[in-house]
Amino acid sequence: MDTLGTLLADLAAKGPERPAITCAGRTLTFGELDARSSQVAHALVRDGMRPGDRLAVLTTNRPEYFELLFGAARARAVLVGLNWRLSGPEIAAIADDAAPAAVFAGGDQRELLPASLLDRVVDLDTGYEAWIAGLPAAPPDTAPVAEDVVLQLYSSGTTGLPKEARLTSANLLYTPRMGRESYRMGPDSVNLLASPLFHIGGTGYGLTTLGQGGHTVLMAEVDPAAMLRLITEHRVTHAFFVPAVVQMLIDQPGVADAELSCLQVIAYGGAPMTEALLLRAMATLRCAFLG
């Protein structure tokens, strides 16, 4: 049965020059994503990562998150997404539960980490490229299986401490099918992703198009003006927004005159959408909505 790593290898073999992820003006092709994910896997194995070990990631949305996800899967390790919106003590409690053997953090998020983890941090802004430099672009001989846990996320903790949710390769391999059958995506789709990757609404939704060989336009944060620009620039066909973001987008100056004919489906969720807002959004953005 396929794994997350073999899925990426197959996509890279079919279209190595196809755009996989664009973020902040930089585009990774599927060939580059495949090679860099293998370098991550080799670096993890080199550093003593064993099957089932956890690596924690604390950062706003960036392409390295997907490199680490695919690389961890190839090394049979588990990526733990940490919520950078939490306080330091809340992150410390989750880290204590996950017990990561390695930590990857953006420079702005590093200060949220507990002192006990600082000796094992790879800074994504200043140390990551050196960490993977010179390593092979082919996967290591680690023999992943579909039942391997590859992703560990945490609940919000509204009824107590945050609780872990473990996802296997087989679980995540369902997302491209969901993209095809539910969101009407395909290999030529362009998906705008602004939801945080520490949430399944970010990582899972992101794999719906990426896992089919389509193009994912990744945003570090919600910015309605930038969204309009990116939709037009990259001919975005799909997106997922919470209703509050839909409201901000249709209230953005210039939206009525923007060239949005590329949009096909906007999915929404996470909070109730009023009928008035939905009807106004459909009229303004002129595409299908899926809730």
Side-chain angles (χ1 to χ4, degrees):
M1 187 174 180
D2 285 342
T3 66
L4 206 59
T6 57
L7 171 68
L8 178 58
D10 290 345
L11 293 172
K14 292 175 182 176
E17 300 304 320
R18 288 177 63 90
I21 301 172
T22 294
C23 185
R26 171 193 172 207
T27 297
L28 273 180
T29 66
F30 275 95
E32 291 168 334
L33 179 60
D34 181 52
R36 289 173 64 84
S37 298
S38 287
Q39 289 179 304
V40 166
H42 281 283
L44 292 172
V45 172
R46 176 200 63 201
D47 292 352
M49 191 74 69
R50 299 166 299 178
D53 280 352
R54 269 58 179 164
L55 58 114
V57 182
L58 181 65
T59 183
T60 53
N61 291 0
R62 57 195 299 163
E64 290 88 347
Y65 189 99
F66 284 103
E67 295 174 12
L68 287 163
L69 176 63
F70 285 109
R74 286 176 168 171
R76 305 194 71 180
V78 183
L79 187 149
V80 178
L82 297 179
N83 182 348
W84 48 267
R85 292 173 175 166
L86 297 178
S87 67
E90 290 172 319
I91 291 173
I94 292 174
D96 183 62
D97 180 77
V103 182
F104 299 82
D108 292 341
Q109 291 77 47
R110 183 171 179 153
E111 63 184 28
L112 295 172
L113 291 168
S116 60
L117 295 182
L118 294 180
D119 63 344
R120 66 194 79 170
V121 175
V122 175
D123 191 307
L124 290 168
D125 296 317
T126 61
Y128 180 78
E129 292 300 327
W131 181 72
I132 64 172
L135 294 175
D141 186 18
T142 48
V145 295
E147 292 74 25
D148 284 341
V149 175
V150 295
L151 181 63
Q152 183 167 310
L153 303 176
Y154 280 81
S155 68
S156 62
T158 51
T159 58
L161 293 175
K163 301 170 183 65
E164 66 182 58
R166 301 179 182 183
L167 297 165
T168 65
S169 259
N171 294 145
L172 292 181
L173 286 174
Y174 183 79
T175 56
R177 176 182 170 185
M178 183 169 64
R180 288 190 300 272
E181 297 180 0
S182 297
Y183 298 136
R184 300 173 236 166
M185 296 171 173
D188 295 324
S189 296
V190 182
N191 192 20
L192 182 65
L193 176 56
S195 303
L197 293 174
F198 61 70
H199 192 281
I200 192 60
T203 298
Y205 178 72
L207 290 171
T208 55
T209 295
L210 187 66
Q212 297 186 70
H215 185 189
T216 297
V217 179
L218 184 63
M219 299 186 70
E221 59 186 359
V222 171
D223 180 338
M227 283 178 176
L228 282 181
R229 176 178 57 79
L230 291 170
I231 289 169
T232 300
E233 179 181 348
H234 295 287
R235 306 298 295 163
V236 168
T237 60
H238 292 75
F240 177 93
F241 300 133
V242 298
V245 173
V246 173
Q247 180 78 65
M248 288 190 289
L249 189 61
I250 64 175
D251 286 342
Q252 183 64 28
V255 66
D257 299 321
E259 173 46 61
L260 304 177
S261 62
C262 53
L263 283 173
Q264 298 174 12
V265 177
I266 292 178
Y268 64 91
M273 173 85 86
T274 67
E275 182 179 359
L277 176 58
L278 179 58
L279 291 174
R280 184 176 165 221
M282 293 172 66
T284 303
L285 301 178
R286 303 180 293 281
C287 67
F289 276 73
L290 180 64

